[in-house]
Amino acid sequence: MMRMLARLLAVLNSETHPGQISLGFCFAMVAGFTPLMSLHNLLVLLLVLVIRVNLSAFLLGLPVCSGLAFGLDPLFHRIGLAALTNESLAGLWTSLYNSTLWRLEHFNNSIVMGSLLFSLVSFVPLYVLSNLAIRRYRAHVLAWVEKTRVMQLLKASRFYSLYQSFSGMGGGL
């Protein structure tokens, strides 16, 4: 837990563009909310490796989102069931189910469909909000945190040396 927090702080305090960090969190949400072994996650992984995405943010967000997905499964089930039982989309689902590629996606599972729809709809809002949060954190919170008494105590602890090792500012582990 302490290592994860240290890695998160290292990512947030790095010189990485906030958009790259936000994209890492957003792709982690898609991969973490949906079943890991699915076709669309291969595309997500390809995009993470091809586009300028902060890989640390992706790797930090993936287990967090996977853990959140267990609690959100009832919501995903309701969303997926509503989409799959919508009469106006029945023709689309039938034609997709008759295609082998789409059948491999397991979109006919309500949780898979609901989690994919939820994560796709949440992608842009999460990107905008996390980008804004990172910019505000760097502009306002980081400078204030550096001056607090708690931070001065943390700098003297093992946690800070761990943080320095992940941020590349100090000695390694």
Side-chain angles (χ1 to χ4, degrees):
M1 186 70 179
M2 291 293 280
R3 283 180 177 238
M4 245 176 123
L5 184 61
R7 286 183 179 163
L8 177 66
L9 288 175
V11 167
L12 291 176
N13 297 338
S14 69
E15 296 294 324
T16 307
H17 191 274
Q20 294 174 354
I21 298 170
S22 299
L23 266 180
F25 288 140
C26 291
F27 282 126
M29 178 190 62
V30 173
F33 280 175
T34 58
L36 199 57
M37 297 299 187
S38 53
L39 285 178
H40 65 270
N41 279 339
L42 286 176
L43 178 66
V44 167
L45 185 61
L46 179 71
L47 288 173
V48 165
L49 295 175
V50 170
I51 341 179
R52 290 184 146 220
V53 172
N54 187 293
L55 197 56
S56 295
F58 177 77
L59 292 174
L60 280 172
L62 189 60
V64 172
C65 290
S66 293
L68 288 174
F70 288 112
L72 293 172
D73 273 350
L75 175 67
F76 296 155
H77 171 70
R78 277 190 250 143
I79 293 170
L81 193 62
L84 290 171
T85 57
N86 189 334
E87 288 296 323
S88 62
L89 298 173
L92 173 68
W93 303 139
T94 302
S95 65
L96 289 178
Y97 191 76
N98 289 329
S99 169
T100 305
L101 180 68
W102 288 103
R103 201 175 311 149
L104 289 174
E105 178 65 21
H106 301 288
F107 70 89
N108 56 337
N109 182 316
S110 62
I111 292 178
V112 172
M113 176 61 78
S115 61
L116 185 59
L117 288 175
F118 182 86
S119 59
L120 290 177
V121 167
S122 303
F123 191 90
V124 173
L126 179 66
Y127 176 80
V128 171
L129 289 176
S130 61
N131 205 358
L132 184 68
I134 291 167
R135 288 179 193 274
R136 287 195 176 193
Y137 167 78
R138 286 180 176 174
H140 302 292
V141 177
L142 186 59
W144 176 77
V145 167
E146 290 283 333
K147 294 177 187 172
T148 61
R149 176 86 76 197
V150 173
M151 187 62 183
Q152 299 300 321
L153 289 173
L154 278 176
K155 281 185 176 180
S157 71
R158 183 178 183 302
F159 174 76
Y160 191 73
S161 64
L162 227 137
Y163 164 73
Q164 281 184 322
S165 68
F166 284 116
S167 67
M169 296 185 324
L173 285 174

